[in-house]
Amino acid sequence: MSFTVKNNVHWVGKIDWELRKFHGDEYSTHKGSSYNSYLIKEDKVALIDTVWGPFAKEYVENLEQIIDLKKIDYIVACHSENDHSGALPELMRHIPQTPIYCTKNGAKILKGLYHQDWNFQIVKTGDTLSLGNKELTFVSAPMLHWPDSMFAYLSGDEILFSNDAFGQHYTSEFMFNDRVDQAELFQECIKYYANILTPFSPLVIKKINEVLSFNLPLDMICTSHGIIWRDNPAQIVEKYMEWANNYQENQITILYDTMWNSTRTMAEQIAAGIKEADSQIAVKLYNLAKTDKNDAITEVFKSKAILLGSSTINNGILVHVASLLEEMQGLKFKQKKAGAFGSYGWSGEAVKIMQERLEKSGFETIDQGLRMTWVPDEESKLACREYGKAFVAGL
Ligand code: FEO
């Protein structure tokens, strides 16, 4: 499969309709994904990125239908991660001398992954590669999201090849942003940002400002996953600036795990209290044992405050809550407030543990949390609602 992106730029990647888990088990891909690779056929021919290893043979066979591989003058590896470099060994078996343009870190990582002494050509920001009438300009983008990441800009066609940045794990037979469901598209975009780019937000702002300072005309953004931005590509750049700037909506998310529904009852009563205090706040509840982890993180990303609930078990917290806390610690959320609650039988350490871990993860806890024994009675339910009201007042 291939299609024309613009003029002599062709998509030659792989749509992975079946993918449901990415990065091992780390990232859920409810709508599959694509590995986008681009072939630029100017006077000189350049191939931008490849696809994930399991599709290497299929990818190279497909490419051979489109071009004699020996006519590929340059390979550009914007990012070394396996989902974009995985087909390089198979491709390089056919064209072993073809130069691979990448950053210094890119060459180091590719050597570490594949142990091959390919013809690496190291590039940095501002370096160019002539394709005849048009040229590629490289912009290194370290830690967006790996140390090796870089963008490539094609003059004439005014296309930014951004690799992972501005991408989404999303599949469609219509590979352009103006042809797909906008709600689905932006949900996948924000999920991608929340789960992958959140810790790098200061770098996102810096890099976008740097690229904007070049005043390059921009007609398209060709990402390495999901759809291509051709209708107002600046819109996703603006979204990234918004998301990178400690984004939050008027939302409180309550995330909990529960053994015998007492902590669940507390969650629902606290939610009712919040709504009584402020009907404009969106309150969302998620039982973490039944919720996809990446979807939960996306809701945390959108929230101005979260409440975490867990029963106490063996002097600790329930495993799904622990897992979310571990994830959130790495993501380094900022300017979000938090609280903790939970039901217990005799020792009741969970709330204190959650409060401490929330603080360690950068959340500002605004009270001492709420603990209750056994099943909440009417008086306890009222106390939960009062806690919800007080939580809103403390924001
Ligand atoms: Fe799509 Fe960081 O690889």
Side-chain angles (χ1 to χ4, degrees):
M1 176 189 168
S2 72
F3 61 85
T4 300
V5 173
K6 182 179 179 182
N7 298 327
N8 297 322
V9 180
H10 307 274
W11 181 95
V12 292
K14 170 69 186 175
I15 297 180
D16 190 350
W17 292 94
E18 282 192 3
L19 190 76
R20 289 296 176 270
K21 289 285 180 185
F22 188 74
H23 278 167
D25 199 26
E26 261 303 297
Y27 191 104
S28 59
T29 48
H30 305 313
K31 296 185 167 61
S33 192
S34 67
Y35 317 101
N36 298 337
S37 169
Y38 301 93
L39 187 69
I40 309 171
K41 291 162 81 177
E42 293 294 333
D43 294 343
K44 293 287 186 180
V45 176
L47 180 71
I48 311 252
D49 295 318
T50 68
V51 302
W52 188 29
F55 301 107
K57 209 163 171 5
E58 177 185 337
Y59 167 77
V60 171
E61 283 170 5
N62 184 50
L63 206 52
E64 282 176 318
Q65 303 294 314
I66 301 159
I67 192 166
D68 175 355
L69 298 181
K70 293 189 173 52
K71 291 191 173 154
I72 297 174
D73 297 292
Y74 315 117
I75 295 166
V76 176
C78 288
H79 179 30
S80 311
E81 195 164 4
N82 310 53
D83 48 329
H84 309 295
S85 67
L88 274 178
E90 176 66 16
L91 180 64
M92 298 309 283
R93 241 176 15 88
H94 294 79
I95 46 173
Q97 301 308 322
T98 306
I100 299 175
Y101 288 75
C102 60
T103 61
K104 192 174 171 188
N105 279 326
K108 201 168 150 190
I109 294 169
L110 287 171
K111 281 180 191 170
L113 291 177
Y114 303 111
H115 309 288
Q116 296 291 322
D117 198 17
W118 291 323
N119 178 9
F120 294 109
Q121 299 294 314
I122 307 303
V123 292
K124 54 187 185 328
T125 296
D127 287 350
T128 57
L129 177 62
S130 175
L131 305 181
N133 289 329
K134 297 172 186 172
E135 67 177 14
L136 285 166
T137 302
F138 302 106
V139 180
S140 71
M143 296 319 296
L144 292 176
H145 68 121
W146 271 24
D148 64 313
S149 300
M150 73 170 184
F151 306 150
Y153 176 81
L154 180 64
S155 66
D157 289 323
E158 301 167 356
I159 295 176
L160 181 70
F161 296 95
S162 62
N163 199 268
D164 283 338
F166 312 122
Q168 346 79 41
H169 288 300
Y170 183 44
T171 48
S172 168
E173 71 274 36
F174 307 115
M175 287 292 287
F176 295 99
N177 69 309
D178 52 310
R179 300 290 308 279
V180 300
D181 183 297
Q182 298 299 294
E184 279 188 356
L185 171 60
F186 279 94
Q187 178 58 30
E188 293 304 327
C189 287
I190 196 169
K191 177 180 173 183
Y192 193 91
Y193 191 98
N195 282 274
I196 295 177
L197 290 166
T198 295
F200 310 117
S201 286
L203 294 173
V204 170
I205 295 171
K206 204 170 155 199
K207 186 53 61 179
I208 288 178
N209 281 329
E210 181 191 325
V211 174
L212 290 177
S213 76
F214 300 154
N215 284 319
L216 297 168
L218 184 64
D219 190 50
M220 281 188 184
I221 298 177
C222 288
T223 70
S224 60
H225 296 291
I227 60 83
I228 292 162
W229 299 91
R230 71 175 177 189
D231 177 40
N232 183 18
Q235 64 181 303
I236 190 61
V237 180
E238 285 160 15
K239 276 287 173 201
Y240 264 48
M241 286 300 260
E242 201 183 329
W243 293 336
N245 197 15
N246 300 319
Y247 180 74
Q248 50 183 246
E249 297 177 12
N250 190 22
Q251 175 175 326
I252 296 174
T253 306
I254 303 177
L255 308 116
Y256 63 91
D257 196 356
T258 185
M259 290 175 73
W260 293 106
N261 278 341
S262 292
T263 299
R264 172 187 173 177
T265 300
M266 289 181 73
E268 290 173 355
Q269 292 297 321
I270 292 169
I274 293 170
K275 290 306 282 186
E276 277 178 45
D278 186 343
S279 60
Q280 299 305 306
I281 295 180
V283 185
K284 296 188 183 177
L285 282 83
Y286 295 94
N287 181 332
L288 290 168
K290 302 177 183 182
T291 304
D292 176 89
K293 180 188 68 180
N294 304 110
D295 292 341
I297 289 288
T298 308
E299 295 304 325
V300 172
F301 179 76
K302 287 158 63 180
S303 301
K304 62 181 180 184
I306 66 166
L307 281 155
L308 213 48
S310 176
S311 325
T312 295
I313 182 168
N314 297 332
N315 311 111
I317 58 178
L318 292 173
V319 66
H320 293 100
V321 177
S323 167
L324 184 79
L325 279 163
E326 185 67 21
E327 196 81 18
M328 291 196 303
Q329 188 172 333
L331 289 171
K332 301 183 176 72
F333 289 112
K334 291 195 174 61
Q335 293 185 18
K336 293 189 191 295
K337 296 188 175 169
F341 63 95
S343 165
Y344 68 101
W346 50 96
S347 59
E349 293 90 343
V351 169
K352 187 165 182 282
I353 293 169
M354 287 186 287
Q355 295 267 115
E356 286 171 357
R357 296 229 24 212
L358 282 164
E359 285 162 15
K360 203 173 163 191
S361 303
F363 290 83
E364 182 192 340
T365 54
I366 58 177
D367 54 38
Q368 297 305 305
L370 181 65
R371 299 191 317 157
M372 285 182 168
T373 49
W374 304 115
V375 175
D377 58 11
E378 288 311 311
E379 191 181 329
S380 298
K381 287 179 186 172
L382 177 63
C384 287
R385 292 199 293 280
E386 291 304 320
Y387 175 80
K389 288 182 195 170
F391 187 78
V392 173
L395 293 180

